[in-house]
Amino acid sequence: MSKFAEFLEKNPWRRNPWFETVGEAQRRASKRLPKSVYSSLIAGTQAGITVHDNVEAFNELGFAPHVVGATPDRNLTTTVMGQEISMPVMISPTGVQAVDPDGEVAVSRAAAARGTAMGLSSFASKPVEEVTAVNDKIFFQIYWLGGRDEVAARIERAREAGCKGLIVTTDWVFNIGRDWGSPEIPEQVDLKALAKMAPEIAVRPRYAMDWIRDGKVMIPDLSAPNLVDKGQQGPTFFGAYGQWMGTPPPTWDDLQWLREQWGGEFMVKGITRLDDAKRAVDIGATAISVSNHGGNNLDGTPATIRVLGPIADAVGEDLDVLLDGGIRRGSDVVKALAFGAKAVMIGRAYLFGLAANGQAGVENVLDLLRMGIDSTMMGLGKDDIADLDRSDLIIPEEFERVFGG
């Protein structure tokens, strides 16, 4: 170890090891990350109505606890897309994770250490092979980008890498502008970009220090290596984004073709309507995620927890129903399960953990959620997550939203 690396190890800027809430992880992330990077984590579209409602809607729900009958042990395990996981929480796919040098590989290791699965974005900054090498429960997420031949080549690479399922994301329109401004993220992190970001980095020295190893600057890779053949140089993130914007959106026939090409576990992500949920069943999907892209889609879409129950009632017997959007506590997970979800996927929550303390921070978030689920189950007098239902909740009138029937 060089003297500089020893200095980094001993200096007071290094991260504190443990945080007690996801909110504290977010606070630490805001203190460590440059303003533009942090803004990209928390941003929603337009007025931010949906990104706010995703979180706040959980607070409108109460619990109806039993005070006698708690059991000493509780079963939190479940099976999602054919994979048994230790608790009903898995990692949602998110694009380029430049909040930490190890990015998606660190997240994959954390998920494996806690016995759960991970969705890997096709816009990830790390090759799929590196991610599956440290976790054998990886689902590859894909956007409809390019022609069918390109899409087919992409999923074959994921199959060869050992991915256990495919997630197709359908829920994104291309809104321009946010009421509070959009973060400026460089096309490439080169010397010019670093100079421009210098004022931000100067007041967030820990972020810069994490990209320095043995006295050498480690430039974060903002390319998308999983959009090309293995070993090739992927397009920049914004180049890939532009290509996606230029590709006509998929039809249900396209999604059925994709499901047939994959031939295995297949999730449609982005469902908020009953009719779309039923169409996913019709094309042979094995899972859906009730999702509004974390508020980064069409602003004004209801919080996912508001639309989950009717969708789970309609198709929960036919496929795995998951929810993503707004999960910050283990009690939020329990509320989703009571409405009929088999599990939830977390996005911002683990990214805050990754930004706060790398792989250990992601493990920290997963531990917090596990403890929160377990303690909530104890309070409800339930010993198995499969036994949760609406009777465990206090649901305000007109809380749920039903549309597309």
Side-chain angles (χ1 to χ4, degrees), residues 302-313:
T304 50
I305 191 65
R306 298 188 190 279
V307 301
L308 170 64
I311 291 173
D313 290 344

Side-chain angles (χ1 to χ4, degrees), residues 205-359:
R206 286 182 296 174
Y207 181 75
M209 292 296 180
D210 284 335
W211 291 96
I212 300 172
R213 302 215 179 136
D214 291 332
K216 297 179 181 179
V217 177
M218 305 291 291
I219 302 298
D221 185 0
L222 296 186
S223 69
N226 296 308
L227 295 179
V228 294
D229 290 338
K230 181 180 177 181
Q232 292 186 354
Q233 177 65 41
T236 65
F237 175 78
F238 289 100
Y241 187 87
Q243 185 182 355
W244 178 31
M245 290 179 67
T247 301
T251 65
W252 282 105
D253 286 341
D254 289 327
L255 296 189
Q256 182 161 359
W257 170 84
L258 183 60
R259 195 271 303 164
E260 291 168 354
Q261 291 293 307
W262 178 253
E265 297 288 337
F266 185 88
M267 176 191 290
V268 179
K269 184 176 183 292
I271 301 293
T272 58
R273 297 172 56 104
L274 285 174
D275 49 0
D276 285 343
K278 293 172 183 177
R279 290 297 299 271
V281 173
D282 291 342
I283 68 167
T286 58
I288 59 172
S289 178
V290 177
S291 170
N292 51 39
H293 217 110
N296 275 305
N297 186 31
L298 184 62
D299 198 28
T301 304
T304 50
I305 191 65
R306 298 188 190 279
V307 301
L308 170 64
I311 291 173
D313 290 344
V315 301
E317 298 285 331
D318 302 309
L319 40 64
D320 293 343
V321 176
L322 286 85
L323 171 138
D324 72 73
I327 299 292
R328 298 294 185 271
R329 301 172 180 84
S331 59
D332 296 339
V333 178
V334 172
K335 290 170 183 177
L337 300 184
F339 271 123
K342 195 145 190 208
V344 304
M345 297 200 292
I346 59 170
R348 287 184 177 91
Y350 81 80
L351 290 174
F352 294 147
L354 182 66
N357 198 18
Q359 176 183 334

Side-chain angles (χ1 to χ4, degrees), residues 26 29-45 51 96 98-99 178 180-185 197 200 204 207 294-296 348 351-352 355:
Q26 180 176 355
S30 72
K31 295 294 185 182
R32 174 178 166 262
L33 298 177
K35 181 180 178 181
S36 295
V37 179
Y38 177 70
S39 295
S40 71
L41 292 188
I42 63 172
T45 58
V51 71
V96 178
V99 300
R178 299 175 171 93
W180 57 91
S182 299
E184 183 177 350
I185 303 173
M197 292 181 68
E200 292 186 30
R204 295 290 185 266
Y207 181 75
N296 275 305
R348 287 184 177 91
L351 290 174
F352 294 147

